[in-house]
Amino acid sequence: MIIVDLQTQEEDNQSSSMEEIKLLAETAGGKVIAEAQQKREKIDPAYYIGKGKALELGTAMDEMAADLLVINGELSPTQLRNLENLIGGKIIDRTALILDIFARRALSRQGRLQVELAQLNYLLPRLTGRGVQLSRLGGGIGTRGPGETKLEVDRRRIKKKISSLKKEINEIRKHRDLHRKSRRDKGYLLVALVGYTNAGKSTLLNALTNSQVFTENKLFATLDPAVRELPQESGENVLLSDTVGFIKDLPPQLIEAFSATLEELQEADLLLHVVDITSPELGKLMSSVNEILSRLGIDEKQQVVIFNKIDALSNKEFAALEQKLRRGYPSSVFISAEKMLGITELQEKIESNLKSNEIRMKLFIPYDRWPSFHRLYEKGRVLKIEYQEQYVQVEAEVKEKFAKELSSFEKGPQKSAQT
Ligand SMILES: Nc1nc2c(ncn2[C@@H]2O[C@H](COP(=O)(O)OP(=O)(O)OP(=O)(O)O)[C@@H](O)[C@H]2O)c(=O)[nH]1
Ligand SMILES: [Mg+2]
């Protein structure tokens, strides 16, 4: 395959971007035989890379007998169609490449369903693009008969498949909700690993929980996240969950499709943000992770920033970086998940973070209010429940934020009986 990367004036992180697309291509099982770059002021609306460059690449593909042209960017359906018509060879964009990797790597039923959904979501507008004229002949919504084309049949079939996949995923989601709820009821706290793909999340999961989940020096090694028990000094029940790695400009189809997997993160009491300290652009990678977290609505969650792979730096490099990073991220931890460096400090940090900002409360809840107290299970940990005559007496540990809302129930039974 040949890879082409477009540099526009708005962007400035090209070299690493090229490294990343190459790694993606290799992860997808392709062999990169040539790479090209083009500088343009902005993206070409018709061909993305510009017609001249596209023709040039078409010739190169013929000459080198390359089977595939990979474009480092997301093409609109029209750009893809124009390029295909112009060049004749097979062309894929970054999103399609990522989808392909996900498809190869998804093993669980849920993973497979989610990938298939993402692929069909990606495909649908691209079918439409090709068939827009034909579609119009059809006469619009609800008309069947002479104007119906194969394309419309395809589209309808895909839409049907999409909705059945969504249904299936929803079933799994419900099941997981139950599972999560029972975890809550048992008083488990949840810590979740997040971070850029290949940062070392799974390696760290293994280090902290003494397990052997799959790790690899390729992108998106983890698609079916594992959950393991995380032993605590305090004896508290804590689970650590691995997550699908993030990547900058993660295709929205994937975020949507993987919402069931990513939902796990919503439940987390603490996020461990793992960062590869050897990455030349770690600041940017961290912002893209945070961007995705905010799209998922969980950027407010407590985060411990973990700089991993310190063993891969020389002492001098490490000293310089550490000083700089500590200033920017005062409560970060520096570790090597592989060489087990800094793990004890991290464990202590996790433990103290879980304890902080939780308040133990004794609540007296009138029976008529009790049904709405399911939230307690989500926002806190119920330690003890006693069903008294007039109220439910609950001992719980809850987050500071939630504690304020509950303070009116802290009063003894006599007082709460008046209200
Ligand atoms: N030198 C060094 N390499 C590490 C360390 N931790 C992880 N790695 C390597 O980094 C690569 C990626 O590790 P993973 O644990 O699979 O990374 P991940 O974040 O789970 O990646 P995805 O699941 O693909 O998102 C592997 O080749 C690991 O061996 C470390 O502390 N030092
Ligand atoms: Mg992993």
Side-chain angles (χ1 to χ4, degrees):
M1 56 169 76
I2 296 181
I3 292 183
V4 57
D5 182 43
L6 178 68
Q7 297 186 10
T8 57
Q9 280 178 344
E10 296 107 58
E11 285 175 85
D12 55 357
N13 57 338
Q14 295 308 315
S15 56
S16 78
S17 193
M18 193 59 159
E19 282 309 305
E20 184 171 279
I21 190 86
K22 270 162 67 181
L23 206 49
L24 282 170
E26 277 156 25
T27 303
K31 215 174 147 210
V32 182
I33 52 174
E35 45 192 89
Q37 285 198 317
Q38 194 198 17
K39 283 199 170 72
R40 286 182 66 91
E41 210 165 295
K42 53 186 196 325
I43 289 168
D44 184 279
Y47 294 99
Y48 189 85
I49 46 175
K51 194 172 180 180
K53 190 70 183 180
L55 284 169
E56 194 185 298
L57 285 166
T59 316
M61 277 178 84
D62 286 342
E63 280 169 11
M64 296 185 216
D67 56 345
L68 191 63
L69 180 65
V70 178
I71 311 246
N72 190 11
E74 183 160 342
L75 298 178
S76 72
T78 319
Q79 287 164 338
L80 178 63
R81 187 163 26 106
N82 289 346
L83 276 175
E84 273 174 350
N85 290 341
L86 188 70
I87 297 181
K90 192 164 159 35
I91 296 161
I92 63 170
D93 65 2
R94 186 171 175 275
T95 304
L97 191 59
I98 293 176
L99 285 171
D100 187 82
I101 295 172
F102 270 59
R104 281 161 181 267
R105 299 213 168 214
L107 294 176
S108 72
R109 198 170 101 80
Q110 177 174 4
R112 284 182 181 283
L113 290 172
Q114 292 179 134
V115 172
E116 199 179 346
L117 176 60
Q119 283 177 317
L120 292 179
N121 276 334
Y122 177 81
L123 187 66
L124 194 59
R126 281 154 184 86
L127 271 186
T128 320
R130 242 167 275 208
V132 69
Q133 287 106 343
L134 293 175
S135 249
R136 281 200 193 114
L137 285 178
I141 303 160
T143 9
R144 291 166 146 269
E148 187 171 286
T149 61
K150 177 174 175 301
L151 194 100
E152 283 181 38
V153 176
D154 285 350
R155 282 186 57 196
R156 210 172 303 136
R157 201 178 291 145
I158 289 177
K159 280 190 179 158
K160 220 167 141 187
K161 183 78 193 171
I162 285 178
S163 75
S164 89
L165 281 171
K166 280 187 177 161
K167 249 183 240 152
E168 267 187 90
I169 292 172
N170 246 337
E171 284 307 309
I172 298 180
R173 175 179 287 150
K174 272 188 218 150
H175 184 78
R176 291 196 139 206
D177 279 348
L178 282 178
H179 187 67
R180 268 195 301 242
K181 193 176 166 304
S182 91
R183 237 161 42 189
R184 280 280 165 207
D185 290 353
K186 286 181 196 137
Y188 275 96
L189 286 175
L190 184 65
V191 178
L193 289 156
V194 295
Y196 213 76
T197 178
N198 215 38
K201 299 177 292 299
S202 303
T203 310
L204 181 57
L205 177 97
N206 288 341
L208 287 170
T209 66
N210 209 353
S211 10
Q212 265 93 37
V213 312
F214 178 67
T215 66
E216 193 183 18
N217 193 17
K218 282 191 176 167
L219 305 182
F220 302 115
T222 307
L223 277 200
D224 298 311
V227 180
R228 294 281 183 279
E229 201 135 345
L230 183 65
Q232 299 287 295
E233 283 278 319
S234 61
E236 183 133 49
N237 293 326
V238 178
L239 294 173
L240 180 64
S241 75
D242 201 354
T243 322
V244 178
F246 296 167
I247 192 162
K248 67 171 178 283
D249 308 320
L250 190 67
Q253 296 95 336
L254 272 178
I255 297 195
E256 197 207 318
F258 273 76
S259 59
T261 300
L262 294 171
E263 245 165 39
E264 202 86 2
L265 293 176
Q266 317 265 359
E267 291 285 308
D269 299 282
L270 179 66
L271 300 179
L272 304 182
H273 182 170
V274 185
V275 183
D276 179 348
I277 197 171
T278 68
S279 158
E281 298 208 292
L282 90 186
K284 277 199 186 127
L285 303 192
M286 287 175 78
S287 344
S288 43
V289 169
N290 286 325
E291 217 171 87
I292 294 167
L293 291 179
S294 92
R295 250 194 284 173
L296 296 170
I298 48 173
D299 46 332
E300 302 274 292
K301 273 195 200 295
Q302 268 197 94
Q303 235 188 55
V304 175
V305 174
I306 299 168
F307 293 105
N308 186 31
K309 310 196 187 180
I310 57 168
D311 61 293
L313 298 173
S314 71
N315 286 344
K316 212 171 130 197
E317 285 170 321
F318 175 64
L321 261 175
E322 189 198 13
Q323 203 186 26
K324 199 176 109 198
L325 291 171
R326 275 211 198 277
R327 231 177 292 135
Y329 308 93
S331 65
S332 54
V333 191
F334 294 77
I335 66 157
S336 163
E338 208 164 78
K339 301 277 182 322
M340 297 293 279
L341 302 169
I343 299 297
T344 314
E345 190 199 337
L346 174 60
Q347 280 163 333
E348 284 164 11
K349 187 139 244 164
I350 294 171
E351 201 145 332
S352 69
N353 260 286
L354 286 175
K355 280 223 192 72
S356 74
N357 95 16
E358 278 209 349
I359 295 173
R360 197 178 179 122
M361 299 180 97
K362 203 171 196 173
L363 303 167
F364 302 91
I365 302 161
Y367 275 94
D368 57 337
R369 301 294 301 275
W370 181 235
S372 62
F373 269 79
H374 262 295
R375 288 183 307 164
L376 254 188
Y377 288 99
E378 283 154 31
K379 304 205 180 181
R381 228 149 0 109
V382 176
L383 303 171
K384 200 166 139 199
I385 297 184
E386 274 174 47
Y387 295 91
Q388 309 284 11
E389 212 170 291
Q390 294 180 22
Y391 50 86
V392 184
Q393 187 178 327
V394 182
E395 265 182 64
E397 276 176 345
V398 298
K399 295 262 176 279
E400 227 169 57
K401 255 202 293 198
F402 194 45
K404 280 196 203 110
E405 292 175 40
L406 290 173
S407 56
S408 60
F409 294 98
E410 269 182 309
K411 291 171 231 149
Q414 307 88 337
K415 275 189 188 167
S416 73
Q418 287 168 11
T419 49

